[in-house]
Each structure stands twice: as C-alpha cells, then as structure tokens.
Amino acid sequence: MGMTITEKILAHNSGQEQIEAGEIVNAKLDGVLANDITAALAIPQLQEMGYEKVFDAERVFFVMDHFVPNSNVNAAMQCKVCRDFARASDLKYFYDVGEMGIEHVLLPEKGHVLPGDVLIGGDSHTCTYGALGAFATGVGSTDLAAGLAKGELWFKVPPSLKFIYEGKLPRYVSGKDLILYTIGQIGVDGALYKAMEFAGAAITELPMDGRFTMCNMAIEAGAKNGIIAPDEITEKYVRMRARRPCQIYTSDADANYEKVYTFDVSALEPQVAVPHLPSNARNISEVKSITLDQVIIGSCTNGRLSDLRAAAALLTGQKVHPYVRTIIIPGSQEVYLQALKEGLIEIFISAGAAVSTPTCGPCFGGHVGVLAAGEVCLSTTNRNFVGRMGHPQSAVYLASPVVAAASAIKGRVASPWEVV
Amino acid sequence: MGKAFVFGDNIDTDLIVPGKYLTLSTPAELATVCMAGLAEDFVLRISEGDIFVAGRNFGCGSSREHAPVSIKAAGVSCVIATSFARIFYRNAINIGLPVLESAGAAAGIREGDEVLVSMEKGLIINQSTDESYTFTAFPKFILEIFQAGGLVDFIKMQHK
Ligand code: SF4
C-alpha cells in the first residue's frame, strides 16, 4: 500500500517502514518552537518534569512575538521568564525585539524548518510549515514541554484529505482566497484531526508565500497539518536558506485518502470570510457594502514580502479613507528591510497607513490596534471569532492583502478591481 | 455530579480565554476569566463539579493551554461534546481535564440538568431525565497518561 507524504514523514521519524492512519507513533522531533505566551507556560512544566535543559539547544526556537515589544507589565514579566530561561540554557535560536519576526514567517526564512522535518510548535499555526513539505503541527504547553525535554512526541497518524485545485488563478486571486474558499466548502471542522494535502495545477503555480498562507489556515478547518509536496519552487526557496541536508517526500500514486476534493479555480473571485467564522467565506461580489473602522495587513498568514508588494501596488499614489485606521505589519525584520529597500514602506506611509515593527499585535487582540465595541475591521489574519481582535461586540472580516488595500482606500469592503 | 452548562458548536478558545488575558498563567488567575468571551463574570455561575456540554468542535482555534486550564481551575469536572478540536483535546488530557466525546449526551442534555459521569463504567447519566449515554473509549496510551495524573507526571515517572 502506498503512503501519503504525511505518513512517509511520520514513518521515517518513528523508524518504521510502513504506517497507516490511526496508528499511534512516537516520532523524533527535528524542531520545537515556542513563543512568549506558550514558552512561559512550558518552562515551569519542563522543570517540573525534572529537566533543566532542552533536548538540543540548536533544535529549539523561541520567538518573542505575541505581546512584543512588551505591551504591558504582565507581558514583560512573561517575556522575562522566557528571556532568563533562554540565556540560562544557552538556546542558540532565541529571537527577540530587533531580530524577531512573527514565528511562522521567521522560521522558514531562517532555514530552521526544511522539507521532511517533523516539527511541533506551541502555537496552532505551526501547520504553516507544511508548505515546505514538512510535518508540522501545533501543540499546547504540556506537549511542548514534553517535546522540549525529550525531542520526541507521540502522534496519532492522521487520515489525509486531498484537495486538487485545477485551472489558473485569475488576477487578484491568491493563496488566501483558495484557503478561505476551501474552508467555506468543508467547514471549520471539515478536516478535524486530519491532514490537508494541497495539489493541482493552481498549487504548482503558486509562489511559496501563497503556499505558506494556505497551510497556515489548515488549522481553521480543524486539521492537524496542511502539506504541499516539495517541487522546484520549494527547492529554490530552501536552497538559499538551509544549513543542513533535508529529505524530499511525495505521496505515492496509490496512497490512501479519506476523501479527494477537486475544485476548478479558474473563475474564483476574491473571498471574504464574514463574522464570526473563517468558514463564512463569500465571493466578494456577494458581500454588501460594509463600512470599516480599521484595516490590518500582516500576520503569519499574510505578512510576507509578496503580500506587502501586492498591497503596495494598489496603494501607490492613493490615500486610505480618513475614517479607516490602516495598520501594516511586516512579518519579520527581513521582510521589513526588503520592503523598505523596495520603497513599499514609503508608499504605505504616503497613503496614510501606519507601519509597525513585526508583531502579532492586533491579530489576537493583544495590542497595536485593538477594536472597540461596534467597530469593524477587515484583516489579512486568519481568525474572525467573536472578540478575536478586541471587544466581544467588534467584528472582523478576513481577506487577502489586495482586498485589504482596496478596502482601506474605499472605507468599506471593496474589490481590488474598484481601485485599479 | 454537577449541573450542566450547554453550549453550541465551534466554541473557540478566544471565547474560553480571550487573547487579552494571555498574560495570566496560574490556574487561579485563569479560573477568574473562564468563558470571559461569552460573559466577563461567567465564572461566578460555575459551582465545583459542574459539567460543560457542547456540540461540534469544542475548543477550536488557538493552541492556548490556558483554555482547558481555566475550565478545570474554575471547578468544571468534565467537558462533554459531540467532537473536540484536536489541540484542545490533547491539552485537556495532558492537564487532566476529562473530555468525553458523546453525540448522544450532547444532544440529550439540557442546560441545568444534573449529570453524573462514571469514567470506570464509561457512562454519562442524566439524572434529571434518567437517560444515560456512552462515550468514545480512550486508547490505552492515553489512559496511561490519565492514570499518571497528566503528562507532566507521566514523564516525571519515566525520567526517574
Ligand atoms: S500572527 Fe496571529 S495567528 Fe499568527 S502566530 Fe501571531 S497571533 Fe497567532
């Protein structure tokens, strides 16, 4: 029986020839990620388990990104726990203010995650790295502590769902639209406990940034991991960054899928997920005029260079609507610097947008753009749950960077075609 | 035994512990904000031993372990749902909060019903209606974690 890419990776790291969905395996971890919120919980648990150090100081990545630069005293205290621990245990890769980015933008960029890896992260969007052909999944702090201690963790091998996207994506339709559309089709628990494997002509054409966006939101359909088999685009991305060898896996032709979905995307419209679930995806032409108070362009979903380039292309020579607070957050220092060199930051500032240092900030209602009761935000982030970005009576619409840029200009949810 | 609180589908971790409270880390602090996304003072309605009952995909969203910790520390003795989001499910087991998958119980239990759970017999009993329901059994591996009192103690035992 053939295996899927997910099964092959888990088989390799658990030292087995053949595995199948439903089996419980103990897999070696190639990397363990934590952020300022989840590391702060895991560190005392690690110590309680009887460990003073992590399993490998070069395989552990701590990224201070959620409440950083520290938004209040509690956040500062929490980060201090991480900072003190990182120094005491000689963590090689500890990313703090000035060096850090949003974890899921940063780790691939730094070459810390490679094809074929098994990686866990104390953050649900760890599934982002599936775009590189790795098995990556989010865990809570206790699993995180266990992973930090032992460099291995148990997994139940997930059944795989295959999504085949046929056709060529229209202009202004991106990875974000593909994934919002997909979640709209299968629901927020449509891939619960499962692997979502993305393939097809539209994926082959999709640049790395769009692939990261898609795998990033696999968790919004309840998936354990999202994954795309590596190809030339992946190899080119990895070649510039990898500092160790990696292993390319692809699914066998006779691999077992619980279900195969095929979508023709050649006429897909930009998608908008209306409050309060990511699965409430609509064609933009069907979203009635919604007045906005804020637009956010950033996050681990859409804070990469091509996202900023796409937004800047629409904002060039334009002004954002005076009633719309437009906040643009480059996903990492590398993205920020490159955007600066390319003149994107100047375009944003001239358009009347604010540009922030990399941070999760408003994405989870933490800081840098929290919403008041009754306010409405359109955001390139990944969740629009009740209260996600602030007051329980605020509302969030999810969309791509081009929809966000057009909406910022118009002061309401708008299609990119309205401003070009 | 405890009284049931009944929720719908897709109760996410931002409702259970909103993002602004993620600078809290001790169980005692987290207990005070349990379900604050629904009502800031929700915790005042909970008595020791009460039970949460929900529909599909309970605990979806972020990986924050603050969510099951907050529910447990607020005095809730177990969560019954048609299905759970996977990270929440693992987290709950790891910290010793029983999470039971039972579509029958989720459909049959009403707000305020008195509910008794027998982990040994694998039964959920609704004392208000005299109905009983079974729940999906745990794999052996997970029962071992439960028996150790959670993953921290499980690993501590192995490490010794
Ligand atoms: S940007 Fe948002 S979704 Fe991504 S890691 Fe940060 S808080 Fe989580």
Side-chain angles (χ1 to χ4, degrees):
Chain A
M1 186 68 200
M3 289 194 285
T4 65
I5 177 172
T6 297
E7 289 159 356
K8 285 185 186 177
I9 297 171
L10 285 173
H12 177 262
N13 274 41
S14 57
Q16 304 192 54
E17 286 290 319
Q18 180 83 28
I19 59 173
E20 57 186 70
E23 252 178 80
I24 289 178
V25 297
N26 207 33
K28 187 174 77 53
L29 303 174
D30 297 296
V32 179
L33 157 75
N35 61 45
D36 48 319
I37 294 176
T38 57
L41 280 194
I43 290 165
Q45 286 168 316
L46 176 72
Q47 288 158 344
E48 209 186 309
M49 286 171 181
Y51 291 79
E52 283 309 314
K53 301 241 167 190
V54 300
F55 76 105
D56 182 342
E58 298 190 12
R59 293 274 183 167
V60 169
F61 316 108
F62 274 22
V63 186
M64 305 293 99
D65 60 358
H66 276 63
F67 286 112
V68 173
N70 294 147
S71 53
N72 60 42
V73 173
N74 280 344
M77 297 299 288
Q78 189 160 270
C79 281
K80 192 166 186 309
V81 172
C82 306
R83 289 169 179 144
D84 290 348
F85 176 84
R87 279 169 208 162
S89 49
D90 296 318
L91 285 197
K92 186 159 178 206
Y93 301 112
F94 178 72
Y95 295 100
D96 207 339
V97 175
E99 269 190 318
M100 64 76 155
I102 298 169
E103 52 202 285
H104 311 306
V105 178
L106 190 73
L107 259 56
E109 206 179 79
K110 296 283 183 194
H112 291 324
V113 204
L114 299 177
D117 281 357
V118 173
L119 184 142
I120 59 163
D123 191 278
S124 58
H125 292 102
T126 302
C127 53
T128 308
Y129 317 130
L132 293 165
F135 174 86
T137 192
V139 298
S141 294
T142 306
D143 275 329
L144 175 61
L148 288 171
K150 302 176 57 127
E152 58 180 45
L153 195 66
W154 68 272
F155 299 98
K156 193 168 173 182
V157 180
S160 290
L161 303 175
K162 190 167 192 176
F163 297 84
I164 302 172
Y165 302 88
E166 286 175 348
K168 191 174 163 54
L169 282 183
R171 184 131 194 249
Y172 296 131
V173 178
S174 63
K176 182 63 163 285
D177 304 295
L178 285 180
I179 191 66
L180 286 177
Y181 175 77
T182 305
I183 299 165
Q185 293 296 309
I186 66 170
V188 286
D189 60 354
L192 197 59
Y193 304 117
K194 296 173 189 158
M196 291 175 88
E197 186 174 326
F198 304 116
I203 302 298
T204 313
E205 296 281 302
L206 201 64
M208 266 330 287
D209 286 2
R211 298 180 185 191
F212 284 125
T213 305
M214 290 191 72
C215 291
N216 174 271
M217 289 191 69
I219 179 71
E220 307 318 331
K224 181 172 210 150
N225 65 313
I227 199 157
I228 297 174
D231 59 11
E232 279 154 34
I233 292 179
T234 328
E235 284 175 42
K236 182 162 171 260
Y237 180 92
V238 168
R239 205 176 307 130
M240 303 185 302
R241 301 161 195 274
R243 277 166 287 176
R244 57 183 164 90
C246 61
Q247 183 76 44
I248 307 272
Y249 295 99
T250 52
S251 295
D252 292 326
D254 61 343
N256 193 24
Y257 293 96
E258 199 178 277
K259 197 162 177 187
V260 179
Y261 296 83
T262 307
F263 302 123
D264 183 347
V265 295
S266 32
L268 189 69
E269 279 188 42
Q271 301 287 300
V272 178
V274 306
H276 292 284
L277 283 177
S279 56
N280 294 340
R282 307 273 186 274
N283 290 325
I284 192 156
S285 61
E286 291 159 24
V287 180
K288 296 207 189 64
S289 177
I290 306 287
T291 309
L292 299 172
D293 301 287
Q294 182 169 284
V295 165
I296 301 286
I297 299 176
S299 83
C300 60
T301 315
N302 282 122
R304 298 185 180 80
L305 193 58
S306 53
D307 298 315
L308 299 192
R309 283 181 185 149
L314 294 185
L315 286 167
T316 304
Q318 298 265 23
K319 284 276 177 210
V320 303
H321 190 280
Y323 292 171
V324 179
R325 312 182 296 267
T326 304
I327 303 170
I328 299 178
I329 311 176
S332 70
Q333 292 290 80
E334 184 183 314
V335 171
Y336 199 171
L337 188 58
Q338 188 58 31
L340 191 71
K341 287 181 184 159
E342 292 182 16
L344 311 183
I345 303 298
E346 191 173 338
I347 292 169
F348 297 142
I349 293 177
S350 306
V355 181
S356 160
T357 193
T359 182
C360 293
C363 171
F364 72 110
H367 56 130
V368 195
V370 174
L371 300 173
E375 287 193 325
V376 181
C377 177
L378 185 136
S379 177
T380 68
T381 53
N382 46 44
R383 289 192 174 132
N384 55 350
F385 300 151
V386 171
R388 171 74 179 178
M389 296 182 76
H391 197 280
Q393 281 152 29
S394 59
V396 178
Y397 290 74
L398 303 175
S400 69
V402 284
V403 170
S407 303
I409 295 166
K410 290 288 181 187
R412 58 174 169 79
V413 177
S415 158
W417 292 107
E418 294 183 53
V419 299
V420 290
Chain B
M1 194 177 74
K3 70 173 184 303
F5 289 90
V6 178
F7 306 98
D9 293 337
N10 303 318
I11 296 298
D12 62 74
T13 56
D14 280 278
L15 285 177
I16 303 169
V17 177
K20 64 179 170 181
Y21 295 123
L22 293 179
T23 57
L24 307 178
S25 56
T26 66
E29 291 169 331
L30 286 166
T32 65
V33 299
C34 182
M35 305 308 286
L38 283 182
E40 283 289 335
D41 58 357
F42 193 97
V43 64
L44 300 179
R45 305 180 205 167
I46 302 173
S47 309
E48 190 68 36
D50 284 350
I51 287 172
F52 280 5
V53 180
R56 285 160 50 177
N57 204 24
F58 185 89
C60 62
S62 86
S63 69
R64 62 190 69 161
E65 207 159 288
H66 311 65
V69 169
S70 161
I71 292 174
K72 188 180 178 206
V76 173
S77 60
C78 93
V79 184
I80 300 166
T82 309
S83 63
F84 291 89
R86 61 160 286 275
I87 305 179
F88 180 92
Y89 188 75
R90 271 185 91 120
N91 288 348
I93 291 167
N94 284 344
I95 64 144
L97 170 68
V99 273
L100 311 179
E101 277 186 343
S102 171
I109 296 172
R110 300 274 164 267
E111 182 87 12
D113 283 356
E114 289 291 336
V115 176
L116 182 71
V117 171
S118 166
M119 292 291 275
E120 298 74 32
K121 293 192 191 138
L123 269 189
I124 300 166
I125 300 153
N126 186 343
Q127 299 199 311
S128 303
T129 61
D130 265 343
E131 287 176 330
S132 64
Y133 323 91
T134 54
F135 55 84
T136 316
F138 293 102
K140 181 170 159 285
F141 190 82
I142 290 180
L143 281 175
E144 285 172 14
I145 295 177
F146 263 136
Q147 278 157 8
L151 189 63
V152 170
D153 290 311
F154 182 70
I155 291 190
K156 210 187 328 186
M157 272 164 37
Q158 288 182 327
H159 191 50
K160 272 190 189 137

